[in-house]
Amino acid sequence: MLTNAEIRRTAKSTLQGHWGISIGVYLLSMIISSAVSSLLGWIPVIGWIIGMLITGPISIGVVWFFLAISRKDEPDVSYMFSAFKDFGRTFLAFLLVTLFTFLWSLLFIVPGIIKGYSYSQTFFILRDNPNISALDAITESRHMMNGYKGKLFGLSLTFLLWYLIPIAILIASAVIFSIGVLTGDYNYMNGNGSVVNALGFGISMGAIVLFFLGMLVMVAISIYLFPYMTTSFAVFHDELFGDTTTFEEEVFTETDYTTNDFDAPSHPDEFGPDKLEEEKPNDPR
């Protein structure tokens, strides 16, 4: 299996010439999610359910889009809506993964994170095998990730470290704002006049400007990192499948997974690679 550094280089290579559409897909998905949340978030329970019905398949469609990018396909923007053509199976998978991860998180944060990595291959499996059920895809993901959760965590960490920059800016803005507020209050109580109070006000305003700068840096990093990170996860999936030689409980056979089933009526039309390599499971890597 490729090292994490090689996975990132492969992902960056496949994104060449596709950065524009990749960023567009990411931004469009964020706009839709924000709009749904704004319109329905105030409605108890029902609003949350309707929001899941919309954002769940879109989230999976975005994952499928970047999987196609990683395989050097030429998906268009409509690809991100492809999961709606297999709505029942994809929405159920999204719901179960969300629910299972949440329930494990109730025990403590760490078990939830570990299970999140265990379920991480579910959406990729759904795309490549239109005949597998949502629950079986989750089960297969758990099997595939045995012994690889640490590697995927390490890959994720290389991207998350980028956010240390905006986080540091936001912390600095909070500290400076506190200093401004305390300075203003202190001098006000001692009756030192408006000049010193204006200094405290200026410090606070500077902190607010610094806060918005930190938020802008975070947004800019996300716009760059999300396509890069998701494509890297897609490369990881294909490498993982090539490195995983045994599948338990016969959830699906090797032939089912490696044969091109994308023309089947049960799968969204015209989505998926032209042909998955039949010999990939025996790749000596």
Side-chain angles (χ1 to χ4, degrees):
M1 188 175 192
L2 295 177
T3 65
N4 285 344
E6 291 171 333
I7 288 174
R8 292 196 306 272
R9 283 197 296 270
T10 301
K12 188 175 291 187
S13 174
T14 58
L15 279 168
Q16 293 300 319
H18 298 90
W19 277 105
I21 189 173
S22 297
I23 291 174
V25 164
Y26 167 65
L27 291 177
L28 180 58
S29 67
M30 289 297 99
I31 291 171
I32 293 174
S33 297
S34 299
V36 170
S37 177
S38 299
L39 293 173
L40 302 174
W42 59 276
I43 305 176
V45 183
I46 296 177
W48 180 79
I49 293 174
I50 296 175
M52 288 273 288
L53 291 171
I54 298 173
T55 59
I58 288 178
S59 298
I60 295 178
V62 170
V63 170
W64 288 1
F65 174 88
F66 286 105
L67 182 60
I69 291 290
S70 75
R71 291 171 173 174
K72 300 182 179 180
D73 286 350
E74 298 291 337
D76 56 22
V77 175
S78 64
Y79 204 106
M80 66 179 288
F81 302 104
S82 59
F84 284 104
K85 296 185 178 182
D86 195 6
F87 180 80
R89 198 170 60 109
T90 55
F91 173 72
L92 181 60
F94 181 83
L95 179 63
L96 290 177
V97 167
T98 302
L99 178 62
F100 292 163
T101 304
F102 171 73
L103 292 177
W104 278 101
S105 298
L106 292 178
L107 298 178
F108 201 60
I109 295 176
V110 174
I113 294 174
I114 292 174
K115 284 301 178 180
Y117 283 110
S118 293
Y119 306 145
S120 63
Q121 306 306 299
T122 301
F123 302 154
F124 297 120
I125 293 171
L126 286 176
R127 178 191 182 279
D128 281 342
N129 190 342
N131 299 314
I132 195 171
S133 69
L135 189 58
D136 283 347
I138 294 173
T139 300
E140 189 56 39
S141 177
R142 291 194 296 106
H143 296 333
M144 292 180 70
M145 287 301 294
N146 283 336
Y148 291 94
K149 289 187 284 291
K151 183 174 179 64
L152 184 56
F153 173 76
L155 180 62
S156 304
L157 193 61
T158 61
F159 295 105
L160 295 178
L161 290 175
W162 282 67
Y163 287 100
L164 290 179
I165 300 172
I167 288 174
I169 296 175
L170 294 176
I171 292 175
S173 70
V175 172
I176 295 172
F177 183 82
S178 299
I179 293 173
V181 171
L182 292 175
T183 301
D185 287 345
Y186 174 80
N187 286 282
Y188 174 77
M189 289 186 295
N190 284 275
N192 290 335
S194 61
V195 174
V196 179
N197 286 325
L199 177 62
F201 177 77
I203 293 174
S204 299
M205 290 299 99
I208 293 174
V209 171
L210 189 62
F211 171 82
F212 283 107
L213 176 62
M215 294 301 296
L216 286 175
V217 172
M218 184 171 291
V219 170
I221 289 176
S222 297
I223 289 174
Y224 170 73
L225 275 192
F226 185 86
Y228 185 15
M229 179 176 65
T230 312
T231 304
S232 295
F233 291 163
V235 174
F236 174 90
H237 168 75
D238 282 341
E239 286 295 314
L240 176 62
F241 177 71
D243 202 57
T244 306
T245 56
T246 60
F247 300 95
E248 301 177 32
E249 301 179 5
E250 296 183 11
V251 174
F252 58 84
T253 66
E254 179 178 315
T255 301
D256 288 334
Y257 196 86
T258 57
T259 301
N260 180 15
D261 289 325
F262 296 105
D263 293 331
S266 60
H267 192 276
D269 294 337
E270 299 180 8
F271 293 106
D274 293 333
K275 182 177 178 60
L276 293 175
E277 297 179 5
E278 296 183 357
E279 297 301 324
K280 192 168 187 180
N282 297 319
D283 192 330
R285 291 180 301 182

